[in-house]
Amino acid sequence: MPDRAVRIAIIGAGPSAFYAAAALIKQEDVEVRVDLFDRLPAPYGLVRYGVAPDHQRIKSVAALYEKTASDPRVRFFGCVEFGKHITIDNLRPLYDMVVFATGAQSDRSLGIPGEDLNGSMSATEFVAWYNGHPDYKDLNPDLSVEGVAVVGVGNVAMDVARILAKSIDELKETDIADHALEALKDSKVKNIYVLGRRGPAQAKFTNPEIKEFGKLETADPVVLASELELDPHSATTVEQNRMARQNVEILREYAERGQGDKARKVHFRFLVSPVEIHGDGKVSGIKIERNKLVSTEDGYLNAEGTGEFEELEVGMVLRSVGYKGVPVPGMPYDKRKGTIPNDHGRVLNPETGNPIPGAYVVGWAKRGPTGVIGTNKKDAEETVELLLEDVPHIRRAGVEAKAEQKLEELLEGASCKYVSFDEWQKFNELEVERGKPQNRPRVKFINIDEMRAASSGS
Ligand code: NAP
């Protein structure tokens, strides 16, 4: 067993990174030192930049991560970019093991004409914009349009449709980015079309998320009863699957309500696929095709076009058809899945099929962009268990004696003025303090310059 603590670098500081760090310090067999690196100044990844600002309860999980980060065996280094300030080669002499918790930083595209028009963007960009992600602060979505199409019926689609549908009164006491709150104040959006390519029984959203649309202050859910009719396969799904059954029940209740009298409408459409986005430089409409469900050999229900088309007048299209991983410099990449190839978290060399010694992966970079935040706990624990199994076999002589000091030198040499956890906590306190007079959980700083200026009182 080691004569010194095992040094582990975690790349990324989102939920999966924190669950991995927590699992590492919880066990007592191996003494560990864990350093988390994130390219953003703030920790917590999608908890800060993905979870909707009006879903504060989900964000309370950050308190657990804070506890982990406050453990003396764990350090956080914000504003450190993997591939720029640190690389797999310069980390190797400093760490025994590296865990990639890099998530899924891109999104899937629709592959239809007009997708690149102004006003057509991914829901993930829109989410990052309203959540104050520094890379998206200048997205400036045009909210002077009356119609918006949201493609996809997962929970991300629910988030963006709900944020667009809510009144300012419903948003003003959240931690939505100030620039988004300002822009939404002047929003002219009236009709939001949420487009599901398959039927209501196949929708990916969960019950609480679809239920929220029935209780909005200034928007009505609109559902066509004809689009809720179930084919025999879907009827069986609904019988056997509680979530699908309740989704359909909620949608049926919306269909019975009719149009309602609120100013905004959220139209949930099913069995329709976008086939073309129209516009002269800028989105002005979307052509959708009616689908029918066709069962494949393995029982999956596929959407197949019927040749019947419809036009929707929209000025913005948000595609919400799933996140996608991006290649991590120096690591293998599974293009099809958008993940780092791995066996239960041990990174694999795709040429040999063998594990790459000392390299591990957790979260969406491991399994793809599925599951809720809590899903990452079990997932990270599985990886950590394998990592700990490997400890006796790693070549420990390779790690330099003064690794901590060497890391400081490395970051300094790369002109990287990193953010420590103590420094982040000061920024955090300032954000919370700014929020108090407005009854908001916090008022977010958008970038590191703003954070440091506020912290130094300038
Ligand atoms: P998702 O749940 O996988 O939903 C993606 C949606 O896009 C599905 O409805 C899918 O339909 C549709 N789609 C895919 N390709 C399409 C295409 N070419 N044309 C039309 N539709 C297409 O993904 P997500 O919404 O991005 O969410 C990612 C994960 O984060 C999920 O696990 C989600 O539950 C989680 N999340 C949770 C919350 C929460 O708990 N409140 C909030 C946000 C996200 P098919 O089924 O037909 O493929």
Side-chain angles (χ1 to χ4, degrees):
M1 269 296 146
D3 51 358
R4 60 162 174 80
V6 176
R7 291 181 47 76
I8 300 149
I10 301 184
I11 312 303
S16 65
F18 274 98
Y19 288 122
L24 283 165
I25 58 172
K26 200 173 86 184
Q27 55 79 39
E28 289 171 352
D29 298 333
V30 180
E31 198 192 337
V32 292
R33 294 289 178 275
V34 184
D35 289 345
L36 293 101
F37 298 94
D38 202 292
R39 74 182 182 90
L40 295 174
Y44 313 144
L46 280 183
V47 168
R48 180 175 167 96
Y49 296 114
V51 173
D54 57 343
H55 279 177
Q56 284 300 315
R57 224 156 41 96
I58 301 180
K59 292 183 187 233
S60 60
V61 70
L64 283 179
Y65 307 158
E66 196 178 320
K67 208 169 149 228
T68 301
S70 305
D71 187 285
R73 293 165 292 175
V74 177
R75 298 187 302 172
F76 165 73
F77 295 83
C79 286
V80 182
E81 187 170 342
F82 187 80
K84 182 178 165 191
H85 303 114
I86 52 173
T87 64
I88 191 68
D89 292 335
N90 63 26
L91 286 187
R92 281 233 184 261
L94 307 180
Y95 294 91
D96 298 294
M97 291 150 146
V98 181
V99 180
F100 292 90
T102 41
Q105 295 169 41
S106 181
D107 65 280
R108 295 177 52 211
S109 56
L110 294 167
I112 59 171
E115 211 171 346
D116 297 328
L117 285 169
N118 226 330
S120 160
M121 65 192 88
S122 71
T124 58
E125 288 172 283
F126 189 71
V127 168
W129 169 74
Y130 66 59
N131 274 329
H133 189 299
D135 294 356
Y136 297 93
K137 71 176 191 347
D138 298 322
L139 187 72
N140 290 328
D142 180 4
L143 300 173
S144 68
V145 303
E146 289 196 359
V148 178
V150 178
V151 182
V153 281
N155 277 337
V156 172
M158 295 301 102
D159 284 348
V160 296
R162 193 180 65 254
I163 295 295
L164 283 166
K166 275 195 166 179
S167 68
I168 286 303
D169 278 348
E170 288 169 298
L171 293 172
K172 70 179 188 209
E173 292 186 357
T174 71
D175 66 352
I176 190 167
D178 273 356
H179 56 238
L181 193 62
E182 278 309 307
L184 286 161
K185 267 183 195 158
D186 298 326
S187 168
K188 300 280 183 293
V189 173
K190 269 193 192 149
N191 288 302
I192 300 153
Y193 301 92
V194 183
L195 308 176
R197 65 176 168 182
R198 299 190 292 154
Q202 290 79 36
K204 294 264 172 67
F205 50 67
T206 41
N207 305 150
E209 276 66 25
I210 186 68
K211 226 177 188 164
E212 280 183 84
F213 287 91
K215 296 181 265 182
L216 299 181
E217 271 177 13
T218 52
D220 290 307
V222 180
V223 179
L224 301 170
S226 59
E227 290 185 347
L228 300 183
E229 280 165 22
L230 302 178
D231 65 286
H233 291 290
S234 301
T236 309
T237 306
V238 163
E239 240 168 65
Q240 293 170 348
N241 180 320
R242 193 161 162 263
M243 195 194 75
R245 185 166 60 249
Q246 290 192 359
N247 276 346
V248 171
E249 279 167 12
I250 295 162
L251 290 164
R252 282 189 180 138
E253 195 263 306
Y254 291 166
E256 276 167 22
R257 288 189 196 186
Q259 289 280 323
D261 54 9
K262 293 175 184 163
R264 280 190 182 136
K265 307 288 171 205
V266 187
H267 307 263
F268 292 95
R269 300 289 310 270
F270 294 98
L271 289 163
V272 289
S273 278
V275 288
E276 188 171 353
I277 301 171
H278 298 303
D280 187 5
K282 189 185 174 320
V283 175
S284 60
I286 189 166
K287 183 176 178 180
I288 57 176
E289 182 175 13
R290 171 140 300 281
N291 293 329
K292 62 178 186 213
L293 290 177
V294 179
S295 180
T296 62
E297 266 178 20
D298 56 4
Y300 185 83
L301 290 176
N302 252 337
E304 202 177 278
T306 60
E308 196 187 313
F309 299 97
E310 191 185 330
E311 293 280 341
L312 298 177
E313 212 176 294
V314 295
M316 177 153 70
V317 175
L318 297 175
R319 59 178 182 278
S320 183
V321 294
Y323 285 84
K324 199 176 122 205
V326 296
V328 175
M331 281 290 109
Y333 179 62
D334 183 328
K335 222 172 162 184
R336 198 177 58 83
K337 293 188 188 155
T339 56
I340 297 176
N342 69 91
D343 180 12
H344 295 86
R346 280 187 182 114
V347 176
L348 296 180
N349 177 336
E351 273 150 36
T352 62
N354 294 328
I356 298 178
Y360 303 86
V361 61
V362 291
W364 280 3
K366 171 182 171 182
R367 64 175 197 277
T370 58
V372 294
I373 286 165
T375 315
N376 293 300
K377 185 165 186 277
K378 253 192 136 178
D379 171 288
E381 285 169 355
E382 178 189 57
T383 297
V384 166
E385 207 178 309
L386 297 183
L387 178 154
L388 293 167
E389 250 178 42
D390 295 345
V391 165
H393 313 296
I394 51 177
R395 273 184 57 241
R396 307 182 43 75
V399 172
E400 303 198 11
K402 291 185 177 162
E404 294 204 354
Q405 187 190 324
K406 289 266 157 69
L407 175 68
E408 297 280 346
E409 287 167 13
L410 171 70
L411 296 178
E412 211 178 300
S415 305
C416 173
K417 203 168 168 239
Y418 69 83
V419 174
S420 67
F421 196 67
D422 283 350
E423 195 181 5
W424 155 251
Q425 279 186 308
K426 282 186 200 127
F427 301 154
N428 181 42
E429 277 166 27
L430 285 167
E431 286 192 345
V432 171
E433 209 48 48
R434 276 161 33 118
K436 280 182 184 158
Q438 299 171 49
N439 212 14
R440 297 171 68 183
R442 66 180 63 240
V443 173
K444 282 182 179 175
F445 295 116
I446 305 305
N447 58 38
I448 182 61
D449 295 338
E450 238 185 82
M451 290 175 183
R452 286 201 164 124
S455 180
S456 68
S458 58

